[in-house]
């Protein structure tokens, strides 16, 4: 797995590494969101571990340490991924800068809501990771560097999917807080994902990589072809909303 983590930042990915341009840019846009988002997760759980007045049992402490360690590696991997993306599409720098500033709003929330948001974002990540690992609808089969990175990331996310919700339960968060956090996290992620995917495709159109008509047709095909994935992910989303403290079991 070392080769995934240490790929040179200057190596630009092919436009169609995931079958089509829009399908590829969907994951590229997600990668732009991840470094700042993962920093938020790490900082929040480390702050919880420091602030917690009652003793933390050995198992949960170990799980939190593993979570933080793996998220740091994910963040580093996606920083390099994003550097490679910008090397091949310089106009994406402005998109990346906007994505890096997006979590500033979350820092203004009170601490219990931050913990609830960590649990919510981790659930959303796990739902997408299940889709990536178990189905070939969003991330098609292939051996590109980017494809292998996403599959590795998805497997690790599923491996520590319980940790954030266990911390939320340990912190005594109410079900209503967890549900509200899921709605907020879904809104943030959905809006940003669509906005950045569109922005990257617009950069490609401006660079001449694809015409506006071809990009529109590509996007329509991607949306239509992704309907089975959307249905499966909606079911996963609803599991958390119904019983947030048991969803990871």
């Amino acid at each position: 797995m070392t080769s995934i983590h240490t790929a040179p930042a200057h190596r630009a990915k092919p436009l169609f590494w995931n079958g089509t341009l829009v399908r590829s840019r969907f994951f590229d846009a997600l990668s732009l969101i991840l470094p700042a988002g993962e920093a938020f997760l790490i900082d929040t759980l480390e702050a919880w571990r420091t602030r917690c007045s009652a003793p933390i049992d050995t198992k949960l402490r170990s799980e939190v340490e593993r979570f933080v360690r793996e998220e740091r590696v994910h963040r580093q991997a996606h920083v390099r991924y994003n550097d490679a993306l910008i090397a091949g599409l310089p106009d994406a720098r402005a998109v990346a800068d906007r994505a890096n500033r997006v979590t500033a709003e979350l820092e203004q929330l009170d601490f219990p809501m931050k913990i609830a948001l960590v649990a919510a974002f981790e659930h959303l990540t796990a739902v997408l990771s299940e889709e990536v690992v178990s189905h070939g609808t969003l991330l098609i089969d292939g051996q590109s560097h980017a494809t292998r990175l996403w599959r590795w990331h998805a497997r690790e996310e599923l491996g520590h999917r319980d940790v954030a919700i266990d911390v939320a339960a340990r912190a005594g968060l109410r079900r209503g807080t967890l549900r509200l956090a899921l709605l907020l996290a879904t809104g943030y992620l959905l809006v940003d994902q669509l906005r950045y995917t569109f922005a990257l495709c617009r950069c490609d159109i401006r660079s001449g990589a694809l015409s506006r008509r071809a990009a529109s047709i590509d996007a329509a095909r991607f949306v239509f072809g992704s309907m089975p994935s959307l249905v499966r992910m909606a079911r996963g989303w609803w599991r958390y909303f119904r019983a947030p403290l048991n969803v990871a079991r």
Side-chain angles (χ1 to χ4, degrees), residues 6-233:
T6 58
H10 63 272
R11 187 177 69 186
K13 300 184 296 299
L15 287 179
F16 302 105
W17 65 265
N18 193 25
T20 69
L21 181 63
V22 175
R23 188 188 303 272
S24 303
R25 291 312 191 204
F26 174 86
F27 281 94
D28 291 342
L30 181 58
S31 184
L32 293 178
I33 297 169
L34 285 175
E38 286 163 337
F40 172 78
L41 304 182
I42 293 166
D43 292 346
T44 301
L45 285 201
E46 287 194 320
W48 171 80
R49 188 170 54 184
T50 301
R51 293 185 183 193
C52 191
S53 56
I56 305 172
D57 65 84
T58 303
K59 181 180 178 182
L60 181 56
R61 182 179 295 276
S62 175
E63 288 176 344
V64 170
E65 289 174 353
R66 177 169 68 96
F67 177 96
V68 169
R69 183 172 59 252
E70 291 180 349
E71 290 295 339
R72 281 196 176 121
V73 175
H74 297 169
R75 186 176 185 277
Q76 293 165 0
H78 282 281
V79 166
R80 289 190 290 269
Y81 182 109
N82 295 343
D83 287 343
L85 171 63
I86 293 167
L89 190 67
D91 286 350
R93 169 67 67 184
V95 184
D97 290 342
R98 290 201 301 272
N100 288 335
R101 294 192 298 265
V102 73
T103 55
E105 299 175 14
L106 302 181
E107 292 297 337
Q108 308 305 314
L109 298 171
D110 61 39
F111 194 64
M113 180 54 72
K114 288 183 184 180
I115 296 175
L117 279 171
V118 170
F121 280 124
E122 277 298 293
H123 178 68
L124 294 175
T125 303
V127 167
L128 177 60
S129 296
E130 282 183 344
E131 189 64 28
V132 166
V133 169
S134 303
H135 304 278
T137 307
L138 296 179
L139 189 69
I140 64 174
D141 293 337
Q143 293 301 316
S144 71
H145 170 78
T147 301
R148 288 185 288 115
L149 184 145
W150 282 110
R151 292 195 185 284
W152 157 77
H153 190 163
R155 287 192 295 269
E156 289 213 343
E157 288 294 337
L158 292 174
H160 66 224
R161 65 182 300 174
D162 295 0
V163 177
I165 196 66
D166 286 344
V167 168
R170 178 68 173 74
L173 298 187
R174 296 178 180 273
R175 180 170 297 190
T177 301
L178 293 168
R179 286 175 171 171
L180 176 59
L182 180 63
L183 293 174
L184 289 174
T186 303
Y188 267 104
L189 190 58
L190 184 61
V191 170
D192 288 343
Q193 180 65 30
L194 292 174
R195 180 170 60 172
Y196 298 147
T197 301
F198 177 78
L200 289 178
C201 291
R202 190 167 54 185
C203 290
D204 288 313
I205 293 169
R206 285 200 301 264
S207 71
L210 206 66
S211 69
R212 188 179 300 275
R213 180 175 181 275
S216 298
I217 294 172
D218 189 359
R221 288 175 175 169
F222 175 58
V223 171
F224 181 77
S226 299
M227 291 307 296
S229 293
L230 294 175
V231 170
R232 286 189 291 265
M233 289 190 292

